[in-house]
Every structure is written in structure tokens, then in C-alpha cells.
């Protein structure tokens, strides 16, 4: 496990929680494009993604499942994407450590600023294309770190290459 203050490297895996409802076994890609859409304030959601969408650095965690609360283990999957893959889509990653005193603190929190509310809304047609490419990437089997349908709760989730 590395400190979250370490520089983000191109070969690092970043993880995102995805609600199972965003998986479609009857389509390709199996992960919906909407899995990476920011929460927009106009939809009256809690905690809109003003600064960008959240992901977590795998190297800062003990296990991929550290990003799931106990009540999310059966309702969410975990997908991963490498920093280099995000860069190839012209997306950037910035460190955004959670408050040290936060109740639900998770190490290695990062943001993709281009997928913040304003940027997304102002360039929605371009962002939709990027989200589709991202969905294709994370739908690859080696990019799915946790799928409640496939794993036992105590499974190894390191997804080492």
C-alpha cells in the first residue's frame, strides 16, 4: 500500500463503484455509459459532482472492496481503469484526499475534473462519446474487480496482472 500523497502513475489502477443496475448482460458494453456520468445538481441529487467524479487508487487500499460499505456489497460492482487509459481519452486525474476525520473515509480518493457537472454539461456531446469509450474499457473482464454475482464475499480482489 502506498501513501495517497505519492504521485499518481500512469500504470496505476483507479476504481469506481458502479450500481449493479448499470450492468447490462444483454448488451455490449456490459457497463452502461451512465456509470461515469456526474451527479448533476439539477437532478436534485445529494452531493453533486461539482469538482469531478470520484475514483480510488487501488495502490492506496488494502483491497478493492475497501471502497464498498457493507450495505453495498451485493448492490454494487467495482470497475477499474488505468490512469494511462484515462489519459488516452484526454481525461486527467487529480488527488483529492478525503477528510482525515471523515466517517466514511477511504484512502486514495481522486477526481476526474473533466467529468464535473459544469464541464460535463457544457460539453455534453463530447463527454457522451468519452463516456461510451470508458464504458467499453471497463466492460473488459480484467477491468471488473468485483461483481457480486461472480465473487464470494471473501474473494481476493487484487486483480493483479
Amino acid at each position: 500500500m502506498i501513501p495517497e500523497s505519492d504521485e499518481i502513475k500512469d500504470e496505476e489502477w483507479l476504481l469506481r463503484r458502479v450500481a449493479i443496475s448499470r450492468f447490462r448482460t444483454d448488451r455490449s458494453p456490459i457497463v452502461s455509459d451512465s456509470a461515469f456520468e456526474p451527479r448533476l445538481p439539477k437532478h436534485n441529487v445529494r452531493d453533486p459532482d461539482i469538482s469531478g467524479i470520484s475514483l480510488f487508487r487501488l495502490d492506496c487500499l488494502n483491497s478493492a472492496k475497501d471502497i464498498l460499505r457493507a450495505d453495498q456489497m451485493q448492490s454494487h460492482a467495482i470497475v477499474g481503469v488505468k490512469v494511462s487509459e484515462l489519459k488516452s481519452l484526454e481525461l486527467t486525474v487529480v488527488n483529492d484526499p478525503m477528510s482525515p476525520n471523515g466517517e466514511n473515509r477511504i484512502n486514495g480518493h481522486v477526481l476526474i475534473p473533466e467529468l464535473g457537472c459544469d464541464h460535463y454539461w457544457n460539453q455534453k456531446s463530447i463527454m457522451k462519446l468519452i463516456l461510451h469509450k470508458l464504458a467499453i474499457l471497463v466492460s473488459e473482464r480484467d477491468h471488473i474487480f468485483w461483481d457480486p454475482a461472480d465473487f464470494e464475499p471473501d474473494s481476493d480482489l487484487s486483480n493483479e496482472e
Side-chain angles (χ1 to χ4, degrees), residues 24 29 31-37 128 131-133 135-136:
R24 311 160 309 180
V31 177
S32 170
D33 299 1
S34 64
F36 287 87
E37 283 183 356
K128 288 279 189 183
L131 292 181
H132 184 68
K133 290 177 183 177
I136 291 169

Side-chain angles (χ1 to χ4, degrees), residues 29-98:
I30 63 168
V31 177
S32 170
D33 299 1
S34 64
F36 287 87
E37 283 183 356
R39 291 181 304 236
L40 301 171
K42 67 182 276 177
H43 295 136
N44 297 320
V45 297
R46 64 166 177 71
D47 303 326
D49 293 315
I50 303 295
S51 302
I53 64 165
S54 295
L55 291 93
F56 298 91
R57 299 170 66 185
L58 178 59
D59 290 347
C60 295
L61 304 168
N62 289 317
S63 164
K65 69 181 177 182
D66 288 351
I67 71 170
L68 295 175
R69 295 185 317 261
D71 65 328
Q72 295 174 322
M73 294 297 284
Q74 295 304 311
S75 62
H76 286 73
I78 300 171
V79 297
V81 62
K82 287 191 174 187
V83 172
S84 59
E85 293 170 327
L86 292 172
K87 286 182 176 181
S88 74
L89 297 173
E90 298 185 18
L91 298 172
T92 56
V93 178
V94 295
N95 263 327
D96 184 52
M98 294 178 149

